[in-house]
Amino acid sequence: MLDFYPLENDQYTRINQFFGNLKEGHLTTTRCKRCAKLLWPPRIVCPKCLSDELEWVDLGTKGELYAFTEMRLGAPLGFVQDLPFCIGIVKIAGLLISTRIDNAKYDELKIGDKLDLKIVELEDGRAFYRFRKL
Ligand SMILES: [Zn+2]
């Protein structure tokens, strides 16, 4: 994966709490305190009303498969050794989130499958999210 900057650091991004929450096992995003819009990805300003008064919201761990495909070629640098793998869109807390899907091959997935959050710790100590088939 091309990774020129340690973007999870609070020196580089004001959504660094997202990554800190992931390390603690929570997939979170921001919600606008003024208009209550749930934002994905996490933001520092609400695109609907331009308020910067946002709060962190835990999205839970249970999602539903909304769309999916299998990546067979052209994976980003750092993922080539994992080919083939499934990617898709998961519906969680009313949001549609793109994600990698573990624990299932393409032929084993169907729209509506129940998926569970999976936190992946990278070798350098950072964390990211995926989902896995139950
Ligand atoms: Zn708003």
Side-chain angles (χ1 to χ4, degrees), residues 32-37 39 46-51 53-54:
C32 179
K33 287 182 171 180
R34 185 189 294 170
C35 75
K37 183 164 178 57
L39 306 166
C46 175
K48 184 177 175 189
C49 75
L50 304 181
S51 172
E53 291 184 35
L54 307 177

Side-chain angles (χ1 to χ4, degrees), residues 11-27:
Q11 277 186 303
Y12 297 99
T13 178
R14 287 170 55 193
I15 63 156
N16 64 300
Q17 188 174 334
F18 172 78
F19 299 101
N21 292 341
L22 274 180
K23 285 180 186 170
E24 295 175 4
H26 302 282
L27 180 63

Side-chain angles (χ1 to χ4, degrees), residues 111-134:
I111 303 297
D113 277 349
K114 303 299 179 200
L115 302 176
D116 206 22
L117 177 67
K118 175 183 176 183
I119 305 296
V120 179
E121 290 207 24
L122 306 179
E123 290 177 8
D124 60 9
R126 295 182 299 172
F128 207 66
Y129 69 90
R130 296 180 184 174
F131 279 79
R132 65 181 161 211
K133 185 172 177 168
L134 294 173

Side-chain angles (χ1 to χ4, degrees), residues 36-71:
K37 183 164 178 57
L38 192 61
L39 306 166
W40 183 264
R43 311 267 183 147
I44 59 170
V45 173
C46 175
K48 184 177 175 189
C49 75
L50 304 181
S51 172
D52 63 355
E53 291 184 35
L54 307 177
E55 61 186 347
W56 288 95
V57 177
D58 193 325
L59 299 178
T61 61
K62 306 293 182 193
E64 183 180 305
L65 189 57
Y66 183 83
F68 67 98
T69 190
E70 183 178 60
M71 183 162 276

Side-chain angles (χ1 to χ4, degrees), residues 65-126:
L65 189 57
Y66 183 83
F68 67 98
T69 190
E70 183 178 60
M71 183 162 276
R72 296 179 182 172
L73 297 167
L77 202 58
F79 293 96
V80 175
Q81 72 282 357
D82 296 345
L83 289 171
F85 58 85
C86 293
I87 55 176
I89 298 175
V90 173
K91 189 171 188 178
I92 184 169
L95 298 170
L96 296 174
I97 297 175
S98 59
T99 184
R100 182 162 157 178
I101 301 162
D102 285 354
N103 207 28
K105 295 179 177 158
Y106 179 81
D107 293 341
E108 301 167 340
L109 290 170
K110 65 181 186 308
I111 303 297
D113 277 349
K114 303 299 179 200
L115 302 176
D116 206 22
L117 177 67
K118 175 183 176 183
I119 305 296
V120 179
E121 290 207 24
L122 306 179
E123 290 177 8
D124 60 9
R126 295 182 299 172

